[in-house]
Amino acid sequence: MVPAPSEERPPTRRERRKGETRRAIAGTARRLFAERGFEAVTVAEIAAMADVSTKTVFNHFPVKEQIFFEADPLGWPAPELALRERAAGERPVDAIRRVMARTSPDAGRGTGDAGDAADAADAGTVAVHARIYRDSPALRSYSREMFAGQEHALREAIESGAGADGLGAGGPGAGGGLGAGVVAALVLAAVREVWESTLLRIAAGAAFEDAADLGRRELDAALDLLSRDPSGRDPLRDLPDRDPLDRDLPGQEPRDLARGGPRKVPPAGAARPPADEPAQGARQARQAREAREAREGQGAEGRAGAGGGEAGAAGLDVRGPVRGDRPSITRVAQLAGVSATTVSHALNGRRPVADETRRRVLAAIDQLGYRPNVLARGLRTSRSQTIGLIIPDITNPFYPALARGLQDVLGPAGYDEIISNTDGDRELERAAIEQMIARQVDGLAFAVFHTHAEDLLPVIGAGIPVVRLGGRLVQAGVDVVHSDDEGGAAEATRYLLERGYRRIGFVCGPHAEGPAAERVAGYRSALLAAGADADPRLVAHTHFSRAGGSSGTARLLDLPEPPDAVLCANDIMAIGALDTAEERGLRVPADLAVMGFDDIEAASLVSPGLTTMANPAREIGQACARRLLERLRGGTAQPSAETVIPARLVRRRSA
């Protein structure tokens, strides 16, 4: 729980200065993003404009995308905190609804510093923020990663009992239902969809208040659906008769937002309708909608501008999300003057459609705001149109670049990514694989260090194409795409030897499995071939992080015969090695040479610039995606295949 104000410790002078620096960096970055767009701005430019070092920027924001989300005008949703900190007697769904509780930009953020709230306080700033997000594929991809990263905490909150009742999750007395992991995924998917659609409405010109109000209504509708478990039981039977967001005009009957008509409030003590009544109501709503569509015919154009005023011009239905009025493929077909089948072909590209016909279909889709029903299409085609990506560390810039490479290929093919972070733990890797199977992904890519062949048998048995990012080709049914880890490490070691370094240390992961094992093998083979010292004590096993690189390097420097050069398994660890050298007063490379692997953006920004082996993450992601699409389309009969992307030496000043 959040401590009472009297219990909070006042910030120290150091903490205040760090907070001021963080706000200055974020404010500078937002101005640059607004002027030039997110992708065009580099971390070095942000550092120069904020009058700080690039190292300081990376200390506060390891990934550039984090700077953008530092002051999200909607308030960054955290459903698991809402569950853990909800008041006594407050229903879980009501607690989660509070993540969208803002009604105007003047209200400030729900959490964070006052300075951040002030920056986000005017509607013009909010609109600029929304347009930056809309125009950046990198930010949209990262937002999916951020929401996916909350899944573990939300699942734990549900499993702990903090939010099982009222979310459709099984538990004591819950009468069965969906598992906590599935519920967490569904809740976060609903929250993210509403959050993003609200930002996109603002970017299109809608007023903040109108967009936020419609977003809350959409979230209400989604959570109401999720709160019903598959048995028909309604865990939210204590819903209040009136919804505080349902603002009816005087003299009107309360509206049922789920069905678009007057809401019938049963008298106190009345028996609940039978479990199949919602389905009956849905059938009635569908029949009424079909009849209305038949009467409207080609008059659907009129509804697109319904509502009048600015909200109508922005395509905003201020009545809220009336589920029966959701634009259907039938209405698109009527407006375009074609069949529903032709609309489907125009969308999926599987059959040829005349250019003029396609233009009419796209114009109708744009006018009605139609969105294909992905869930229904998945049931019909047995495809979820999603690809799972399992990675060990989302804060390592290598992996967002890899994910971007996958999206470069998967996006145009109609697929989305689901990303799971495992911290390099084998049990978490196995759990992530099980979650991907449960989510019915169409394909799986994973960059992991400890997964063994038997761990992949369930996903192979489920008929899901698998691509492993790194390691050796070990089993049928698993393709491999990776950089030349062994050859790259051997080339790096030879480079250090040619520069005159004779006692070369290697800082790698906990057990040197997967790609790290290949790099250790290349390092040792190059030493042996040159007749150099291959002392096993010169290999330091640590964590794949900046702190791990720092501690591993310190351990090597404490040896009776310390190394004169250190090769690290990735650039983040190499930056940690630079930290240790600086702390000990060592000059790089005069006293200690430092070399990395990957060539992330930070490698060229630290001082001295990091000599490294370029491991083209985005290119690896693209190759992985192409391999998965080839499997999904039945383009190869090989039981498995291996694709190797060459590594490249990048010379800078650290070695």
Side-chain angles (χ1 to χ4, degrees), residues 304-359:
E310 295 180 4
L316 195 66
D317 186 349
V318 296
R319 295 177 304 156
V322 181
R323 197 167 177 82
D325 283 350
R326 176 178 177 175
S328 65
I329 195 170
T330 302
R331 293 183 62 189
V332 172
Q334 290 174 344
L335 183 56
V338 299
S339 68
T341 302
T342 299
V343 174
S344 179
H345 292 334
L347 287 172
N348 60 38
R350 292 176 183 165
R351 299 282 179 85
V353 175
D355 290 343
E356 176 58 30
T357 301
R358 186 184 301 278
R359 279 194 292 270

Side-chain angles (χ1 to χ4, degrees), residues 635-646:
T636 179
Q638 292 178 277
S640 57
E642 181 177 19
T643 303
V644 180
I645 309 296

Side-chain angles (χ1 to χ4, degrees), residues 211-465:
D213 184 67
L214 180 53
R216 285 191 301 275
R217 291 172 181 266
E218 289 177 335
L219 186 62
D220 282 344
L223 292 177
D224 285 343
L225 289 174
L226 292 176
S227 68
R228 294 180 182 272
D229 71 20
S231 67
R233 172 184 175 274
D234 185 356
L236 302 182
R237 53 184 176 277
D238 58 336
L239 273 170
D241 291 339
R242 290 289 302 222
D243 188 310
L245 294 175
D246 188 2
R247 302 183 182 90
D248 300 313
L249 297 176
Q252 289 184 334
E253 288 184 277
R255 294 187 60 82
D256 185 338
L257 294 182
R259 294 176 184 161
R263 178 166 50 205
K264 297 180 180 179
V265 181
R272 290 187 58 79
D276 62 348
E277 184 165 327
Q280 179 182 354
R283 286 194 298 273
Q284 293 171 347
R286 185 173 65 252
Q287 292 167 357
R289 182 174 71 252
E290 291 171 350
R292 183 170 63 251
E293 290 174 355
R295 291 193 302 270
E296 291 175 350
Q298 297 292 329
E301 301 95 325
R303 184 183 175 278
E310 295 180 4
L316 195 66
D317 186 349
V318 296
R319 295 177 304 156
V322 181
R323 197 167 177 82
D325 283 350
R326 176 178 177 175
S328 65
I329 195 170
T330 302
R331 293 183 62 189
V332 172
Q334 290 174 344
L335 183 56
V338 299
S339 68
T341 302
T342 299
V343 174
S344 179
H345 292 334
L347 287 172
N348 60 38
R350 292 176 183 165
R351 299 282 179 85
V353 175
D355 290 343
E356 176 58 30
T357 301
R358 186 184 301 278
R359 279 194 292 270
R360 292 205 313 272
V361 169
L362 295 178
I365 287 171
D366 184 60
Q367 183 171 339
L368 294 176
Y370 169 72
R371 292 182 181 178
N373 189 326
V374 177
L375 293 177
R377 182 175 61 189
L379 291 173
R380 185 172 62 253
T381 64
S382 299
R383 289 283 180 89
S384 65
Q385 295 302 119
T386 57
I387 299 295
L389 172 62
I390 301 175
I391 57 177
D393 183 8
I394 200 171
T395 65
N396 183 336
F398 176 84
Y399 293 108
L402 185 145
R404 176 64 186 275
L406 265 81
Q407 192 62 29
D408 288 343
V409 177
L410 295 175
Y415 287 86
D416 287 323
E417 291 178 50
I418 300 174
I419 299 178
S420 181
N421 187 83
T422 66
D423 295 325
D425 180 87
R426 185 184 178 193
E427 289 305 314
L428 291 179
E429 290 172 357
R430 295 171 69 176
I433 290 172
E434 292 174 0
Q435 279 290 317
M436 293 299 180
I437 297 172
R439 287 169 175 266
Q440 299 182 355
V441 297
D442 295 331
L444 178 64
F446 65 98
V448 295
F449 298 104
H450 308 304
T451 297
H452 296 176
E454 62 268 22
D455 299 332
L456 295 175
L457 294 178
V459 70
I460 296 171
I464 299 173

